[in-house]
Amino acid sequence: DADVTQTPRNRITKTGKRIMLECSQTKGHDRMYWYRQDPGLGLRLIYYSFDVKDINKGEISDGYSVSRQAQAKFSLSLESAIPNQTALYFCATSESGGPNNEQFFGPGTRLTVL
Amino acid sequence: AQKITQTQPGMFVQEKEAVTLDCTYDTSDPSYGLFWYKQPSSGEMIFLIYQGSYDQQNATEGRYSLNFQKARKSANLVISASQLGDSAMYFCAMREAYNQAGTALIFGKGTTLSVSS
C-alpha cells in the first residue's frame, strides 16, 4: 500500500461548489503539506502543518482552507471553487528536523473547475 | 526574486547520452538542502537525489549525480546514459532550515526532458 494516499484522484466540479481533497499517510510523519501544480509554474505551497495543532498558510492560501484531523490526515477544502483553481494538487509529508529530510508525495489529485 | 531557477524549459537527448539539467538557487540561509524530483507523464513526483549545503562531496544515486557548485549557487542534475524512460519533467527544489515555512520545498518551474532512440 502507498505511504501517502490522496482521494479523489480526479475530480470535476462546477464553479461555486465546495470540494474537499483528502490526504492520508502511514509514514508516521509529523509534517504535512499541500501544494498545487500549474503548467509552467512548478509546485507552490498552499498550506503546511507541523502537527495537529499547528497549521500555517503557505504562498497561495487564498481561497483554500485545511483541516488536520489527526497526525495521519490532512484535508484541503475549496469553499467555493473557481476555474483558476483547476490544477494538480499534491499532498506531501516529511519528518520534522533539518533540511535534509526528503518529502514524500502522494499521487496527486487532478481537479477541474468548470 | 526567484529562489529556484531552471532556465531550460525543454531538453532533448538521444539514448545512452549524458544530459545536464541546470538549476540555480538563491538563499541567505547557511543550512539548506537541494532536491531533484522526476515527474513522468502519469503525474507522480519521484525523488531522485539530495544534496545538503554542508556536504563536501557531490551526491550520486545510480545514473543520477548532482553537480553542486556552492559558490555559484548551482545544483545541476546529470543523468548519465539516458534511457527512454527518463523522458519526464524534472524539478529542482530547495529547503531552507530557517525558512518561515519550515521544511516546505521551494520548487523551480521544471525542465521537460525528451529522450529519443
Side-chain angles (χ1 to χ4, degrees):
Chain A
D1 288 342
D3 295 321
V4 185
T5 58
Q6 292 183 234
T7 55
R9 294 292 311 280
N10 291 280
R11 180 72 181 265
I12 300 173
T13 192
K14 294 183 178 181
T15 297
K17 294 291 188 181
R18 183 180 189 275
I19 183 169
M20 179 182 287
L21 309 183
E22 299 186 343
C23 176
S24 294
Q25 53 115 346
T26 58
K27 299 192 73 68
H29 291 164
D30 290 328
R31 302 188 175 198
M32 299 187 73
Y33 311 82
W34 277 104
Y35 295 89
R36 71 175 272 176
Q37 181 182 8
D38 298 278
L41 293 180
L43 279 72
R44 293 179 292 165
L45 182 66
I46 306 173
Y47 269 95
Y48 61 102
S49 170
F50 289 169
D51 65 37
V52 174
K53 296 182 180 179
D54 186 355
I55 294 176
N56 304 277
K57 293 181 178 181
E59 178 188 355
I60 53 165
S61 60
D62 287 349
Y64 301 94
S65 62
V66 291
S67 172
R68 185 84 183 264
Q69 301 96 323
Q71 187 204 34
K73 295 184 181 297
F74 192 36
S75 300
L76 176 72
S77 293
L78 288 68
E79 297 300 327
S80 180
I82 56 177
N84 75 1
Q85 291 177 313
T86 293
L88 180 58
Y89 290 84
F90 286 102
C91 174
T93 75
S94 71
E95 292 180 323
S96 53
N100 61 326
N101 287 326
E102 176 189 343
Q103 282 197 5
F104 296 84
F105 284 82
T109 295
R110 289 193 182 276
L111 176 65
T112 302
V113 183
L114 302 176
Chain B
Q2 286 187 357
K3 290 223 167 189
I4 296 287
T5 302
Q6 295 181 253
T7 57
Q8 308 153 313
M11 290 286 285
F12 298 87
V13 67
Q14 288 207 312
E15 259 187 311
K16 301 180 184 177
E17 291 184 348
V19 62
T20 298
L21 306 183
D22 294 341
C23 174
T24 58
Y25 60 92
D26 182 25
T27 182
S28 57
D29 192 333
S31 179
Y32 53 90
L34 296 157
F35 300 77
W36 278 91
Y37 283 85
K38 172 184 178 181
Q39 185 180 44
S41 58
S42 52
E44 70 266 33
M45 296 290 286
I46 302 168
F47 167 74
L48 295 178
I49 196 167
Y50 165 82
Q51 179 84 43
S53 59
Y54 294 119
D55 293 342
Q56 296 296 313
Q57 293 192 331
N58 287 344
T60 60
E61 290 286 349
R63 294 186 299 112
Y64 304 108
S65 60
L66 201 153
N67 183 2
F68 181 48
Q69 298 186 42
K70 194 170 182 177
R72 300 178 65 178
K73 293 189 174 180
S74 74
N76 299 339
L77 176 70
V78 180
I79 305 175
S80 63
S82 297
Q83 302 173 355
L84 294 177
D86 293 334
S87 294
M89 177 77 83
Y90 288 80
F91 290 99
C92 179
M94 176 174 66
R95 169 182 290 150
E96 297 167 304
Y98 301 107
N99 187 296
Q100 184 177 359
T103 51
L105 290 174
I106 303 165
F107 283 86
K109 295 183 178 182
T111 295
T112 300
L113 176 65
S114 299
V115 182
S116 59
S117 57

